[in-house]
Amino acid sequence: MSRLLRVLLAACLLALVPGCGSDTRDPLVVLGPWTGEEGRAFEAALDKLDDGTGRTYTYEGTRSLRETLVSQLEADDPPDVAVLNSIGELTEYARRDKLKPLADASAERAYPPWAPTLLVDSKRRTYWVPLKVDLKSLVWSKRGASGERATWCVGLASQATSGWPGTDWIEDLVLHQAGPALYTEWATGRLDWRDPAVERAWTSWARLLGKRSPESVERSLTTSFEGASDSRGDPRGLLDSPGFDCTHEHQSAFIRYVYAGDDVTVEPSARYLDGPSAYRDAFEVAGDMAAVFSDDPDAQELVERLSSPAGRQSWRAEAAPAVRPLFPDSAGLSPPTSATPVEREIDSLLTTRARTLCFDASDVMPPELRDAFHRAVLEFFRDPTQRQLDSLLQQLETVRVQVNTDSGTDRTFRPPQNICA
């Protein structure tokens, strides 16, 4: 509890603050990653939730989610509910007893692979539930562009998390070349980074990108994954950005918002990745998961309503077409009649055509290893030589061994092991 809140409660008890009676209840605070148009849509849906008690909610959206949450936890003033996309971070909070196990109604919606159970204090428990999800393993291109002569757009800048578009490439290559079983071992820290299958993914990425000029390399390292901005300051996407003479982009489903109305098509990435046919229907996914950080029982109730069919419908109704959320296990929530062909293709892949879904590997890893992975991608992109790769994989292996040692895994605690479903 924050110092300010303790002072106010003490004043209430002493009847020193007018209007601070027992009928006044603080709003529940939800901390999440959505800003701009996405944030406004979620906040509008949150405002419409009604539990019959008159309880209100406050949404705090930030692009610096990890830093904000860590600061609040250090101040002993966490949000009631936080929405994170990293299983690795959520696992660490559960290990440190910062999260509350979910009530049964929400735990029933902890669909795999987004919300695996954890072994904590020798008990299997569910600590988070996916609110919205994202489909990866996709390639975007201008209509009519030939896949046989693909030239790849790459933008790796993303403020504190720069490099993640490159880790998505490596992860997709491991999944489609080596398969879900080895991918799972690697993502969950049970495989040496110097394993030939992992090394092959890096060298395959360099081969696919081809020879690049120093100017092209620097442009990719300093350009946002959203591409350059137009005259209004809105991102225009890498396919439409000046200086990028490219035909294809490897990116998640969320990037559709920058190509709304454009003549852009989307397809599974498998045919570009030189993997066996047995793995063609495997897809990498990501998600934004809600977890409870407070003892307030209304926080549990809020997560239950947010993850309910009614909560999803409300959110989707508030969102503009370009940022409409995707949901897990979306039976009964088919795309609206206004859905674009791209939306329908993505929905079909996610809900019916994909045979295996595997959670984003870097977001499964402990934060220290994930961050080292991001940095290694940036260094390799600048210098894709074998000597550089050998050095980077050795560094990542050293970090893997260290974080496994530090995690204190034993019979009473075990992080997620099954992140493909």
Side-chain angles (χ1 to χ4, degrees):
M1 184 181 297
S2 68
R3 181 176 181 275
L4 176 60
L5 184 55
R6 288 196 298 267
V7 171
L8 288 175
L9 287 175
C12 287
L13 291 173
L14 294 172
L16 297 177
V17 179
C20 188
S22 59
D23 293 337
T24 301
R25 305 180 70 192
D26 292 329
L28 290 173
V29 176
V30 180
L31 179 69
W34 309 299
T35 60
E37 197 170 7
E38 276 191 302
R40 288 189 290 273
F42 177 75
E43 191 166 14
L46 190 65
D47 288 343
K48 290 187 175 181
L49 289 179
D50 183 5
D51 64 356
T53 67
R55 195 71 185 265
T56 58
Y57 313 107
T58 296
Y59 174 64
E60 298 177 357
T62 175
R63 290 291 184 95
S64 302
L65 183 60
R66 175 170 168 76
E67 294 79 5
T68 301
L69 181 56
V70 167
S71 175
Q72 293 178 353
L73 288 170
E74 288 177 349
D76 196 24
D77 190 22
D80 296 284
V81 174
V83 183
L84 292 85
N85 63 7
S86 170
I87 285 180
E89 289 181 32
L90 287 164
T91 298
E92 177 63 16
Y93 293 137
R95 186 178 71 85
R96 292 164 48 199
D97 198 29
K98 300 296 183 181
L99 299 186
K100 311 302 175 183
L102 292 183
D104 290 345
S106 299
E108 290 174 359
R109 299 173 185 144
Y111 307 113
W114 291 277
T117 58
L118 301 184
L119 182 70
V120 179
D121 295 334
S122 302
K123 297 180 181 178
R124 282 282 170 194
R125 293 171 173 169
T126 300
Y127 284 87
W128 59 84
V129 61
L131 294 188
K132 66 183 285 285
V133 301
D134 192 22
L135 182 67
K136 299 196 169 189
S137 302
L138 297 174
V139 167
W140 303 76
S141 60
K142 289 290 189 180
R143 192 176 300 279
S146 172
E148 306 306 320
R149 298 185 300 275
T151 55
W152 295 98
C153 306
V154 182
L156 296 173
S158 183
Q159 298 180 5
T161 58
S162 292
W164 69 257
T167 65
D168 276 4
W169 264 108
I170 303 299
E171 293 157 10
D172 213 8
L173 284 157
V174 172
L175 176 61
H176 284 94
Q177 292 180 347
L182 187 138
Y183 175 96
T184 297
E185 287 187 44
W186 173 58
T188 55
R190 292 175 285 163
L191 184 71
D192 194 312
W193 278 80
R194 298 163 298 183
D195 186 274
V198 178
E199 181 179 349
R200 180 190 174 194
W202 291 76
T203 56
S204 295
W205 185 41
R207 176 180 53 77
L208 281 166
L209 296 183
K211 186 174 178 58
R212 295 182 169 241
S213 68
E215 294 78 15
S216 173
V217 168
E218 192 62 29
R219 184 181 300 115
S220 290
L221 289 170
T222 56
T223 299
S224 167
F225 63 92
E226 296 176 307
S229 299
D230 60 21
S231 59
R232 297 174 298 179
D234 297 324
R236 64 175 77 195
L238 293 172
L239 289 167
D240 294 330
S241 293
F244 285 83
D245 184 17
C246 50
T247 60
H248 291 67
E249 178 181 1
H250 179 274
Q251 189 53 274
S252 309
F254 80 89
I255 205 65
R256 67 191 185 278
Y257 76 92
V258 304
Y259 295 127
D262 283 3
D263 193 17
V264 173
T265 61
V266 64
E267 62 180 314
S269 61
R271 77 181 182 99
Y272 297 93
L273 305 181
D274 192 27
S277 59
Y279 306 141
R280 291 182 73 87
D281 293 326
F283 287 80
E284 190 178 11
V285 295
D288 294 306
M289 284 79 67
V292 175
F293 282 78
S294 81
D295 291 318
D296 191 325
D298 286 350
Q300 295 278 357
E301 184 71 16
L302 174 58
V303 170
E304 191 278 326
R305 289 197 304 280
L306 284 171
S307 60
S308 70
R312 295 181 187 177
Q313 288 282 25
S314 176
W315 189 0
R316 178 174 280 177
E318 294 293 338
V323 294
R324 271 196 286 251
L326 301 171
F327 300 114
D329 189 41
S330 58
L333 280 176
S334 57
T337 55
S338 61
T340 65
V342 165
E343 276 187 277
R344 293 185 181 280
E345 174 71 5
I346 291 170
D347 183 82
S348 174
L349 288 170
L350 179 64
T351 59
T352 60
R353 291 157 54 189
R355 295 180 60 187
T356 304
L357 300 177
C358 293
F359 199 87
D360 181 298
S362 59
D363 283 336
V364 174
M365 298 171 186
E368 298 92 336
L369 183 54
R370 176 200 60 196
D371 295 347
F373 190 11
H374 290 167
R375 293 191 296 270
V377 158
L378 298 174
E379 294 182 37
F380 181 71
F381 189 83
R382 191 182 295 278
D383 177 18
T385 61
Q386 186 64 47
R387 180 178 179 180
Q388 172 78 317
L389 179 58
D390 291 343
S391 174
L392 293 172
L393 294 179
Q394 178 59 64
Q395 293 173 33
L396 290 166
E397 176 59 14
T398 299
V399 177
R400 180 189 76 89
V401 172
Q402 186 62 53
V403 297
N404 282 354
T405 301
D406 293 343
S407 68
T409 301
D410 55 29
R411 292 183 179 180
T412 66
F413 171 79
R414 188 171 299 279
Q417 301 292 299
N418 299 315
I419 48 92
C420 291

